[in-house]
């Protein structure tokens, strides 16, 4: 179902340079070397820059410093033409004190030109614009009027430019550019308003569709500029742009890889550590540029599989961002430590009584204790839940679930089991769900821990065993989901390991089980539609399975080429066009798959390698997938990549977007389902 998105001036002011009225912004340019245009004859054309409508930026605090005009198209040039007074990379510096209504450029005579203009915070060749506009024109133009560039005409400019790149025969004759703009308006669902604004009914958020695909459709005749109905009836989901690696950062050489990425949602900084031997070097990067936010710092020998992020508030009046780790000294003597994110300095630590063989390898579960009001967060802190395993013969009384605040133990519930991980906590922090470790004889159990009364509310045996990488998750209405597996008799390595998705009510009653021919090593991912859970599971054999809240199969899609190359993590849900859903799945074959949920089937939109092999799970934030990668070559190049995709974020109503209290898709005040 399409949604209507009225395009208005941005409500977040980026700079005084840009007005929020419907008039053209006032820009002034600093002088710089004049670009030489060799082609003749030529005309100096004026370009009116209309950023006032649909001006959107994902960085409200960024101040535009440069503007770039790039003219592409006619066959007698091989490189873009830039504005008069542009530098070698096409940038012109903005002077906010001097008004200027347009840019000019020397353009050779020719037909079907495409023009693009963007505003930037930096003038490097790979800089990403804060906002971009475009337009198409012939030279000489029919009148002396300025050529207007706008968000509305940007898609048309991309289509005409793609036709040039494909060498479409019709590009050698003057196109009826008004008809092409009408075709694009129909494709995007554009309607004009009396006040000069317009609505985009089919493509919210100003999405730019895949121009190459549209150009090929024009070549094939399946898209006809003479008949706008053909454009209006095209399925938009099939035209989403291919992912592009926009930024990358390389870490120190000769490490074996990186841990799963985590993100601080307040400042959108990424954290990870390398797994070279036993030393953990913590990396902190800004997004989306992936530049270093601080110098990497060593935290010595950690037991963590992942990092957990949170906040510490020792003064009770100023929360500070921290990261949580498990450290050990001697023979498995555990400490829970909190380090400041900006420099790695120790905020606090809790020593679990120096108990030998007391250990926990996986991430703690973080619940933000909102002690104040929504308008006053000065006294907020974190409650950190930890499950600890101990020697059952000499220190059985130490096993169970702990809660620590600011380095002080605030809860302990003794449970005579070993555990896979810390679990999942409800949004109010009152219930913590944990799964006990299983073996071929003893099944796993799901425990509901009452954190207020420090008791076990109930426990329920699960059918089979569970992986340490798969923890319980909590749905929209409180149901708990988990993945188990069954080891068949005479099982041989390499065979499919059957399993099941289980759903348990908040009261501890088994609601349903869904059998999987091949189990999943990772937790289910939960979305919500119309108040009901949608459950997604990626099996170890590469099948993406979608279930409804009653355990009925909605669809199952096998990701091709994944036999023997299982997933590197659970999928990510992205919210995209018309509130649709695209799932992003990284697989061991080096490809990221984008799968569109079409309600009754999962359609693979694309499968692409991000210039290397994704080694751990990804994060989706503001239109970028962030992924740690390995090139597999000699010396093992380890990188973090920012991959631009068409989905912006995880849906706001998805109750399972987090791992260890960290972002895997969205910012939320409470951790509704966390590993």
């Amino acid at each position: 179902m399409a949604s209507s998105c009225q395009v208005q001036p941005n409500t977040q002011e980026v700079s005084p340079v840009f007005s929020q009225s419907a008039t053209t912004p006032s820009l002034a340019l600093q002088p710089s070397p004049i670009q030489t245009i060799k082609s003749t004859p030529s005309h100096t054309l004026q370009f009116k820059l209309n950023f006032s409508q649909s001006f959107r930026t994902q960085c409200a605090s960024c101040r535009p410093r440069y503007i770039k005009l790039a003219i592409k198209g006619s066959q007698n040039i091989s490189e873009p033409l830039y504005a008069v007074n542009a530098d070698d990379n096409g940038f012109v510096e903005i002077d906010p004190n001097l008004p200027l209504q347009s840019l000019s450029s020397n353009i050779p005579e020719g037909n079907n030109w495409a023009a693009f203009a963007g505003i930037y915070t930096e003038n490097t060749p790979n800089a990403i614009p804060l906002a971009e506009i475009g337009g198409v024109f012939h030279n000489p133009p029919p009148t002396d009027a300025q050529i207007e560039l706008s968000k509305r005409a940007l898609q048309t400019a991309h289509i005409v430019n793609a036709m040039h790149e494909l060498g479409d025969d019709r590009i050698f004759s003057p196109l009826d550019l008004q008809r092409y703009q009408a075709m694009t308006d129909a494709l995007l669902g554009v309607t004009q308003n009396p006040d000069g604004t317009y609505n985009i009914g089919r493509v919210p958020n100003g999405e730019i569709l895949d121009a190459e695909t549209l150009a090929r459709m024009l070549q094939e005749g399946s898209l006809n500029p003479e008949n706008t109905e053909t454009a209006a009836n095209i399925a938009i989901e099939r035209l989403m742009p291919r992912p592009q690696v926009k930024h990358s950062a390389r870490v120190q050489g000769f490490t074996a890889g990186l841990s799963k990425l985590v993100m601080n949602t307040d400042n959108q900084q990424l954290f990870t550590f390398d797994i070279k031997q036993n030393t953990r070097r913590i990396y902190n990067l800004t997004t989306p540029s992936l530049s270093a936010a601080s110098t990497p710092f060593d935290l010595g020998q950690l037991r963590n599989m992942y990092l957990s992020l949170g906040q510490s508030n020792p003064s009770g009046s100023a929360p500070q961002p921290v990261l949580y780790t498990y450290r050990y000294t001697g023979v498995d003597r555990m400490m829970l430590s909190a380090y400041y994110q900006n420099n790695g300095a120790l905020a606090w630590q809790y020593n679990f009584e120096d108990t030998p063989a007391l250990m926990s390898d996986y991430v703690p579960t973080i619940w933000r204790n909102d002690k104040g009001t929504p308008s006053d967060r000065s006294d907020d802190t974190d409650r950190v839940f930890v499950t600890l395993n101990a020697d059952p013969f000499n220190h059985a009384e130490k096993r169970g679930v702990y809660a620590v605040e600011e380095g002080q133990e605030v809860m302990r519930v003794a449970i005579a089991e070993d555990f896979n991980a810390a679990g999942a906590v409800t949004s109010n922090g009152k219930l913590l769900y944990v799964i006990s470790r299983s073996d071929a004889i003893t099944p796993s159990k799901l425990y509901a821990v009452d954190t207020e009364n420090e008791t076990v509310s109930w426990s329920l045996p699960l059918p089979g065993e569970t992986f340490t990488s798969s923890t319980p998750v909590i749905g929209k209405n409180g149901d708990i989901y988990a993945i188990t597996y069954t080891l068949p008799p005479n099982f041989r390595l390499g065979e499919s390991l059957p399993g099941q998705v289980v759903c348990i009510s908040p009261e501890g009653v088994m609601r349903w089980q869904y059998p999987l021919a091949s189990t999943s090593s990772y937790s289910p991912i939960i979305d919500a539609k119309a108040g009901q859970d949608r459950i997604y599971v990626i099996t170890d054999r590469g099948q993406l399975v979608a279930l409804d809240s009653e355990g009925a199969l909605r669809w199952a899609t096998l990701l091709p080429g994944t036999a023997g190359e299982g997933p590197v993590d659970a999928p990510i849900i992205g919210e995209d066009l018309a509130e649709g859903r695209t799932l992003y799945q990284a697989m061991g074959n080096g490809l990221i798959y984008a799968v569109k949920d079409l309600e009754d089937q999962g359609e693979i939109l694309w499968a692409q390698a991000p210039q290397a092999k994704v080694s751990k799970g990804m994060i989706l934030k503001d239109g970028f997938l962030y992924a740690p990668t390995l090139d597999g070559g000699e010396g093992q190049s380890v990188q973090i990549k920012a991959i631009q995709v068409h989905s912006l974020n995880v849906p706001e109503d998805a109750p399972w977007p987090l791992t260890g209290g960290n972002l895997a898709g969205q910012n939320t005040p409470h951790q509704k389902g966390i590993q």
Side-chain angles (χ1 to χ4, degrees):
M1 180 178 66
S3 65
S4 179
C5 175
Q6 186 171 10
V7 183
Q8 294 281 12
N10 186 25
T11 57
Q12 293 181 323
E13 187 172 332
V14 178
S15 164
V17 172
F18 293 95
S19 169
Q20 293 187 7
S21 67
T23 59
T24 303
S26 295
L27 300 177
L29 314 180
Q30 299 285 9
S32 56
I34 298 176
Q35 181 187 6
T36 301
I37 306 298
K38 297 181 179 180
S39 301
T40 57
S42 65
H43 302 271
T44 300
L45 303 183
Q46 298 291 321
F47 294 87
K48 181 180 179 182
L49 309 177
N50 188 354
F51 283 102
S52 60
Q53 291 191 39
S54 74
F55 178 73
R56 293 289 184 268
T57 175
Q58 297 168 2
C59 181
S61 62
C62 295
R63 180 181 178 84
R65 296 183 57 202
Y66 301 94
I67 191 163
K68 181 177 182 177
L69 174 68
I71 315 295
K72 303 178 181 180
S74 189
Q75 287 74 27
N76 58 355
I77 67 166
S78 57
E79 298 294 333
L81 304 177
Y82 299 136
V84 172
N85 293 333
D87 64 19
D88 291 342
N89 293 319
F91 292 94
V92 180
E93 189 172 358
I94 297 172
D95 186 342
N97 299 314
L98 299 175
L100 182 69
Q101 297 297 319
S102 63
L103 293 178
S104 62
S105 181
N106 297 322
I107 310 296
E109 288 188 359
N111 297 309
N112 311 319
W113 294 92
F116 304 89
I119 53 174
Y120 300 77
T121 59
E122 57 184 2
N123 61 344
T124 58
N126 296 322
I128 297 177
L130 295 174
E132 190 177 21
I133 54 178
V136 290
F137 64 96
H138 299 307
N139 187 25
T143 68
D144 293 333
Q146 293 178 327
I147 298 167
E148 181 172 341
L149 306 185
S150 66
K151 183 72 172 182
R152 179 178 184 177
L154 179 59
Q155 182 72 66
T156 307
H158 279 291
I159 293 173
V160 171
N161 185 56
M163 294 173 68
H164 278 290
E165 293 178 348
L166 293 176
D168 191 321
D169 289 342
R170 74 192 74 198
I171 210 71
F172 297 101
S173 302
L175 299 176
D176 187 339
L177 297 178
Q178 290 185 343
R179 285 190 179 275
Y180 273 76
Q181 183 59 50
M183 176 192 71
T184 303
D185 284 350
L187 179 70
L188 303 181
V190 173
T191 56
Q192 189 80 35
N193 296 323
D195 62 357
T197 62
Y198 50 88
N199 300 328
I200 298 179
R202 301 188 72 204
V203 188
N205 302 319
E207 194 73 62
I208 299 299
L209 303 179
D210 187 349
E212 181 180 345
T213 299
L214 289 166
R216 293 188 185 280
M217 294 174 68
L218 286 166
Q219 278 186 323
E220 298 165 357
S222 57
L223 180 62
N224 183 2
E226 304 297 324
N227 183 0
T228 57
E229 290 185 5
T230 62
N233 294 326
I234 292 175
I236 291 293
E237 290 81 3
R238 294 169 173 81
L239 299 174
M240 299 314 304
R242 293 280 177 153
Q244 297 181 21
V245 177
K246 293 292 187 179
H247 302 282
S248 63
R250 185 170 180 171
V251 303
Q252 68 176 6
F254 305 106
T255 183
L258 295 173
S259 68
K260 183 172 180 174
L261 303 178
V262 294
M263 180 180 279
N264 180 329
T265 57
D266 293 328
N267 57 24
Q268 297 189 26
Q269 291 181 0
L270 285 176
F271 291 84
T272 183
F273 59 79
D274 58 33
I275 52 178
K276 178 183 178 182
Q277 299 177 352
N278 290 324
T279 300
R280 303 297 190 244
R281 172 169 289 200
I282 308 297
Y283 298 92
N284 177 9
L285 302 102
T286 61
T287 59
S289 65
L290 297 182
S291 56
S294 62
T295 302
F297 49 85
D298 292 333
L299 290 186
Q301 295 181 330
L302 307 182
R303 297 198 64 99
N304 296 57
M305 296 297 292
Y306 312 127
L307 287 173
S308 284
L309 304 184
Q311 61 180 7
S312 176
N313 194 356
S315 68
S317 59
Q320 299 294 320
V322 296
L323 53 88
Y324 299 104
T325 69
Y326 296 135
R327 297 176 61 90
Y328 65 93
T329 59
V331 182
D332 292 334
R333 298 191 176 186
M334 291 292 303
M335 288 187 185
L336 173 66
S337 303
Y339 296 90
Y340 291 113
Q341 292 178 15
N342 61 342
N343 58 15
L346 181 67
W348 56 259
Q349 65 182 12
Y350 178 74
N351 190 330
F352 291 97
E353 299 181 1
D354 288 330
T355 302
L358 188 68
M359 59 184 180
S360 183
D361 293 342
Y362 294 88
V363 292
T365 302
I366 314 303
W367 178 71
R368 180 165 295 183
N369 190 352
D370 296 339
K371 297 180 178 180
T373 64
S375 60
D376 181 12
R377 298 298 189 188
S378 61
D379 58 352
D380 289 358
T381 188
D382 282 350
R383 178 165 294 184
V384 186
F385 295 102
V386 179
T387 54
L388 290 180
N389 305 327
D391 180 352
F393 300 103
N394 299 313
H395 300 283
E397 74 282 0
K398 301 297 184 182
R399 295 194 292 180
V401 179
Y402 294 69
V404 177
E405 282 189 17
E406 301 299 336
Q408 302 296 318
E409 182 182 304
V410 295
M411 184 201 79
R412 180 187 296 189
V413 178
I415 302 176
E417 300 274 7
D418 283 349
F419 294 91
N420 285 341
V425 64
T426 56
S427 60
N428 58 15
K430 294 182 178 180
L431 285 174
L432 175 72
Y433 299 106
V434 293
I435 296 178
S436 64
R437 187 168 292 177
S438 59
D439 54 40
I441 300 175
T442 306
S444 297
K445 283 185 180 180
L446 176 66
Y447 286 86
V449 177
D450 184 332
T451 63
E452 289 186 327
N453 298 313
E454 301 187 23
T455 60
V456 174
S457 292
W458 51 262
S459 64
L460 179 70
L462 299 178
E465 304 177 57
T466 57
F467 290 105
T468 57
S469 53
S470 177
T471 60
V473 298
I474 305 171
K476 186 74 172 179
N477 297 318
D479 287 337
I480 307 102
Y481 302 92
I483 301 287
T484 67
Y485 68 91
T486 304
L487 192 67
N490 303 319
F491 175 75
R492 295 181 180 180
L493 189 64
E495 295 178 344
S496 292
L497 192 62
Q500 46 272 321
V501 184
V502 297
C503 174
I504 300 99
S505 74
E507 294 75 33
V509 177
M510 182 71 69
R511 290 194 59 230
W512 52 260
Q513 302 178 39
Y514 181 84
L516 298 169
S518 172
T519 192
S520 175
S521 299
Y522 300 100
S523 302
I525 296 297
I526 312 299
D527 191 11
K529 282 274 190 159
Q532 299 297 315
D533 290 339
R534 301 250 177 122
I535 304 100
Y536 300 97
V537 175
I538 182 66
T539 72
D540 291 346
R541 292 290 183 177
Q543 188 175 54
L544 191 57
V545 178
L547 306 173
D548 67 17
S549 60
E550 299 302 317
L553 178 67
R554 295 175 54 232
W555 51 262
T557 298
L558 182 65
L559 306 182
T562 60
E565 299 281 14
V568 301
D569 206 338
I572 292 176
I573 308 171
E575 183 173 19
D576 45 45
L577 302 176
E579 299 182 354
R581 299 291 189 265
T582 296
L583 291 103
Y584 298 96
Q585 179 66 57
M587 299 295 293
N589 62 359
L591 297 178
I592 299 174
Y593 292 83
V595 181
K596 181 72 176 180
D597 186 343
L598 299 178
E599 300 295 335
D600 59 349
Q601 64 175 315
E603 179 187 13
I604 299 176
L605 298 178
W606 48 260
Q608 190 161 323
Q611 303 172 1
K613 189 173 183 177
V614 177
S615 59
K616 295 290 183 182
M618 303 179 294
I619 288 176
L620 174 64
K621 181 63 176 175
D622 292 340
F624 284 91
L625 284 173
Y626 298 96
T629 64
L630 291 170
D631 70 354
E634 186 177 355
Q636 198 78 317
S637 175
V638 180
Q639 298 188 53
I640 302 170
K641 289 189 167 63
I643 307 160
Q644 191 170 38
V645 294
H646 71 267
S647 300
L648 284 181
N649 292 297
V650 167
E652 290 186 0
D653 58 356
W656 172 243
L658 303 168
T659 300
N662 306 300
L663 178 74
Q666 71 175 32
N667 188 5
T668 183
H670 291 290
Q671 286 68 54
K672 297 184 179 181
I674 50 183
Q675 181 173 308

